[in-house]
Amino acid sequence: MYEFWLSYNNNAERLQLPVNPSELSIGNGSQNETHSISRLGEITILQDPTLKTFDFSSFFPLFYAPFCSYKNIPKPWEAVQTIERWKKSGKPIRFIVTKTPINYAVSIEDFPYRENEDVGTIYFDLSLKEYPFINVRTITQSKDGKKAEVSKKSQRQNPKPATPKTYKVKQGQSLWIIAQKQLGSGARFKEIANLNGIKAPYIIHPNQTLKMPEKKE
């Protein structure tokens, strides 16, 4: 199954859409210019392509249903507030669709949302635009004024996919043991449980594959 992910601040915050959009529109235009020249007719001057755009619609359901991509879905208004906060920050986010080449830093251009007759469920449209990272040239001049060194710095987001890491359960292990071994604290076992939709009494089985949260430094 495809997974639609949005991440912010180098994957410090991540959100998987609980319901995959039925359609994804990708814009990939150009800035070509056409001119009419006497005795030659029309000529086209090829320019660099414009930035890609991504547009889709979906919804945040109030309750889990079989059409959801995973069980532990976020609360609709919490998900909406997260995306709004990212948009207001003025910083790019990363948009990833697993099993496709789509892995882009993007800006959130528009995010209208609404409640219909299904109270509690939030329907939304999301418009994203490819975000280019600009290289900044720094010139350092020596005291005699003759030599100069030029260095380049660029802003980059971590292109690592936002898909969580996985762990295969071994014989005799519990969520507490796995959290202690993989995350450095057994007390984080509930994070693993929530990420995988496991409820109390938190039963797991050998060879079961679990999604794992980020290990905190």
Side-chain angles (χ1 to χ4, degrees), residues 45-120:
I45 301 175
L46 299 180
Q47 306 286 350
D48 291 335
T50 58
L51 300 175
K52 286 183 173 61
T53 58
F54 306 91
D55 296 275
F56 56 86
S57 301
S58 187
F59 60 96
F60 294 113
L62 183 60
F63 301 107
Y64 170 79
F67 52 74
C68 294
S69 299
Y70 56 98
K71 290 185 177 180
N72 190 30
I73 61 175
K75 295 180 180 179
W77 280 109
E78 289 182 1
V80 166
Q81 289 169 359
T82 295
I83 296 176
E84 280 200 317
R85 176 167 51 82
W86 292 351
K87 184 176 185 295
K88 291 177 181 179
S89 74
K91 297 179 181 179
I93 65 170
R94 186 159 289 276
F95 174 51
I96 295 174
V97 182
T98 61
K99 299 182 180 180
T100 77
I102 299 174
N103 184 341
Y104 289 90
V106 295
S107 58
I108 301 175
E109 297 295 302
D110 199 13
F111 179 54
Y113 52 87
R114 60 218 171 261
E115 269 189 335
N116 290 350
E117 68 280 354
D118 188 5
V119 178

Side-chain angles (χ1 to χ4, degrees), residues 10 42 55 72 80 84 104-105 119 128 164 171 173 176 206 216:
N10 286 331
E42 285 191 348
D55 296 275
N72 190 30
V80 166
E84 280 200 317
Y104 289 90
V119 178
L128 308 173
Q171 184 70 36
Q173 288 187 323
W176 180 281
K216 298 177 181 179

